[in-house]
Structures are given as structure tokens and as C-alpha cells.
Amino acid sequence: MEKVNLKKLLINFAKIFISIALLYFVFQKIPFREVTVLWAKTNVFYLVMAAILFLASQIISTKRLELYFKANNFHLSFRSNLELYFLGMFYNFFIPGGVGGDAYKVYLLNKNFGWSAKKITSSLFNDRLSGLLAICVLILIFSFNLLEAKFFPILFVLLLVGFFFTYFLTKKLFSTYTKVFFKAFSYSFLVQILQVISFIFLLKSLDVTDNFTIYAVVFLASSVLSLISFAGIGVREMLFLQASKWFSFQPEISVSASLLFTMITAFFSLFGVIFQIRKLNLKLTETP
């Protein structure tokens, strides 16, 4: 157990190091003072709208996880699920190197209700997998607007193969979730759409008026690559910096918007402090 914890600790600190290193490189190219100057001119209306859409995406994410819990006959109330979700966000964002948000959920649910830790973990894993699938599908969809028509058949085949491969993989390895697969994916798709629109509003708050498709693709790609860094910090900014070399947008604006998105994430993650200070009173719904 000590070796496992040490390995996890080292991985988390490696992610933090990667985030710091990437941000250092980005700010060598784009002085932070340029970012603060842009922030001072931010359109507050679009900033607030971006925050609202991000919050909506998190609430829908909670409903998606609820589907996987119910597939295992785990009937946690929506309020308890939402509080647990924000608590997990807090652990993931503000306690690097400590207990991860998902691990803490497994611990609390197992402790309070005696639910199988293995089943809770599989629910959380499939919840993440559904989100990843939605990101990949959206990247392919947006790519139709970026590539020449001759590539459309390839994109279409990749989209179908990726989607149904994930479905049949779920059916084979996690048959419990087969019935909720498509509904969970629809939630995941909506979650990612809301986050993309949220990011576009952040760009509009900085007076960006075009190239939203490529911004969306880079933003979604950064969500996939966020696994190698701490909370995606650094990776997103680096991708936008590099993408600006091939596409016609200003890197300082995209990096500024990216950091604003991180700040919004941090702000809502702080909601978890409330539930950390106030002991959670997890409740179940009546079994249908």
C-alpha cells in the first residue's frame, strides 16, 4: 500500500512539475503583464455567461454520474451527488499530491453505505470514459470545418469506429452500463458543448470575433492531454501558443482566455470547501 501511495504521490508531483514548466515556457514567450492588460479590458457580461455555462456543465456531469450509480442500484440523492461532485473537484484542484477526488468519493460512499468499492470505481471510470468519447467525437465533428472535403470519409469512418468500438468495449467489459451508454453519452456531449461555448464566451470577452472552430478543437484537445499535467494547467496554454503558429489568431488572447477558464474552474472547485468544512450528510433516494 505504501508503494502504491508513493507511486501516486510521485505521479501527482510530476504533473505539477509539468504544469509549472509549461507555464514558464509560455510566459517566456508571452509576458504575464500582457495577459493582465487583456484581463483589465474583459467584457464582464461574457465572463459571467462563461461561468454560468461552466456551472451548468458540472451539474449535467453530476446527472451523468448518477446514471452509472443507478445502473449498480446505488440510489444517491441528487443533492448528495452534487455536493460529492464539488468536493471531488476541490480535492482534484487544490490538494495535489493528496487523495484524488475520485478516490475520496469511493472512500466516502463505501464508508457510508457499504457499497462495493469496485463497483463505485467502475462507475467513475465509465463516467470519465463517456466524457472522453464525447470530446473525441466533437473534435472529429469540428474537423469537418477545418479539413478539405476529401478527408470527410476518413473523419466519418473514424467517428463511427471510435463510437461503436467504445460501445462494444463497454458492453463486453462493463455490461452493467450498456443500457445507460447512449443516454450517458448524450449528457457527455452536452457537457462538452457547454464547455466549448463557455470558452468561446471567454474569447468574446476578450474581443475575439472569429476562428472559433479551431479554438474549439485546440480547447478540446487540451482536455484530452490534460492527463499529463495538473488540472490541465500549462497544457492548454502551450497548445494555444503552438497552434497560433499555424492558425491566424493571437497567442496572448488565447492564453489569456485559457487562464480565465482555469480561474473559473478553480472558483467553482472552491465550493467543495463548504462541504469539506461542513460534514457531508449523504442521503439516498427511495429505490424505484
Side-chain angles (χ1 to χ4, degrees):
M1 181 62 72
E2 290 183 0
K3 289 183 178 180
V4 173
N5 290 335
L6 178 61
K7 181 180 178 181
K8 184 177 180 180
L9 191 66
L10 291 174
I11 290 173
N12 285 330
F13 278 115
K15 289 182 177 182
I16 295 171
F17 175 79
I18 290 172
S19 288
I20 293 173
L22 290 176
L23 284 178
Y24 176 80
F25 180 83
V26 168
F27 289 133
Q28 289 298 303
K29 303 291 183 180
I30 304 173
F32 187 68
R33 64 178 176 274
E34 292 187 18
V35 173
T36 57
V37 169
L38 287 170
W39 284 350
K41 301 175 182 178
T42 300
N43 185 309
V44 177
F45 171 76
Y46 285 122
L47 183 62
V48 171
M49 288 300 299
I52 291 172
L53 288 173
F54 178 83
L55 177 59
S57 75
Q58 300 310 296
I59 293 173
I60 295 171
S61 293
T62 304
K63 292 295 293 182
R64 181 185 64 200
L65 180 57
E66 188 177 274
L67 289 175
Y68 288 107
F69 280 159
K70 286 183 176 179
N72 282 309
N73 289 317
F74 298 158
H75 297 280
L76 188 66
S77 72
F78 175 72
R79 179 173 176 174
S80 294
N81 200 5
L82 189 63
E83 292 179 357
L84 198 61
Y85 191 90
F86 279 107
L87 185 58
M89 285 180 65
F90 170 71
Y91 268 79
N92 284 333
F93 202 97
F94 289 104
I95 311 183
V99 177
D102 285 349
Y104 195 51
K105 290 177 189 176
V106 174
Y107 167 75
L108 286 176
L109 292 172
N110 176 262
K111 178 183 178 182
N112 281 271
F113 306 118
W115 293 348
S116 165
K118 184 177 179 181
K119 289 184 178 180
I120 300 170
T121 302
S122 73
S123 295
L124 294 168
F125 173 78
N126 279 273
D127 178 69
R128 299 282 187 180
L129 182 62
S130 179
L132 179 60
L133 176 61
I135 292 172
C136 293
V137 167
L138 270 174
I139 288 175
L140 290 172
I141 291 174
F142 284 130
S143 296
F144 279 96
N145 289 328
L146 299 175
L147 300 176
E148 297 177 15
K150 65 181 181 180
F151 294 109
F152 287 2
I154 297 175
L155 290 175
F156 188 70
V157 169
L158 285 174
L159 196 155
L160 289 180
V161 169
F163 185 87
F164 285 104
F165 173 78
T166 307
Y167 171 74
F168 287 114
L169 187 67
T170 301
K171 187 175 182 180
K172 183 175 178 60
L173 300 179
F174 304 99
S175 58
T176 304
Y177 309 120
T178 304
K179 290 183 179 180
V180 301
F181 179 88
F182 292 102
K183 188 173 183 179
F185 174 77
S186 66
Y187 282 179
S188 296
F189 194 83
L190 181 56
V191 166
Q192 298 307 322
I193 285 290
L194 287 173
Q195 293 202 8
V196 166
I197 298 174
S198 172
F199 189 72
I200 288 174
F201 274 138
L202 291 176
L203 291 169
K204 289 178 72 67
S205 77
L206 297 170
D207 206 27
V208 175
T209 58
D210 55 12
N211 290 323
F212 291 132
T213 301
I214 185 59
Y215 279 118
V217 170
V218 176
F219 173 77
L220 289 166
S222 71
S223 298
V224 177
L225 295 176
S226 64
L227 295 173
I228 68 172
S229 70
F230 169 60
I233 300 172
V235 169
R236 192 179 299 118
E237 291 75 21
M238 175 61 78
L239 280 180
F240 277 115
L241 177 63
Q242 296 302 313
S244 67
K245 297 177 181 179
W246 295 289
F247 302 96
S248 56
F249 58 76
Q250 295 175 281
E252 61 271 17
I253 292 179
S254 56
V255 168
S256 299
S258 177
L259 290 170
L260 283 175
F261 188 83
T262 298
M263 292 169 66
I264 288 174
T265 304
F267 172 75
F268 286 113
S269 296
L270 280 172
F271 283 22
V273 174
I274 299 171
F275 310 121
Q276 178 64 28
I277 295 174
R278 177 177 65 80
K279 187 177 180 181
L280 280 178
N281 182 22
L282 298 178
K283 295 181 179 179
L284 302 177
T285 59
E286 292 185 7
T287 305

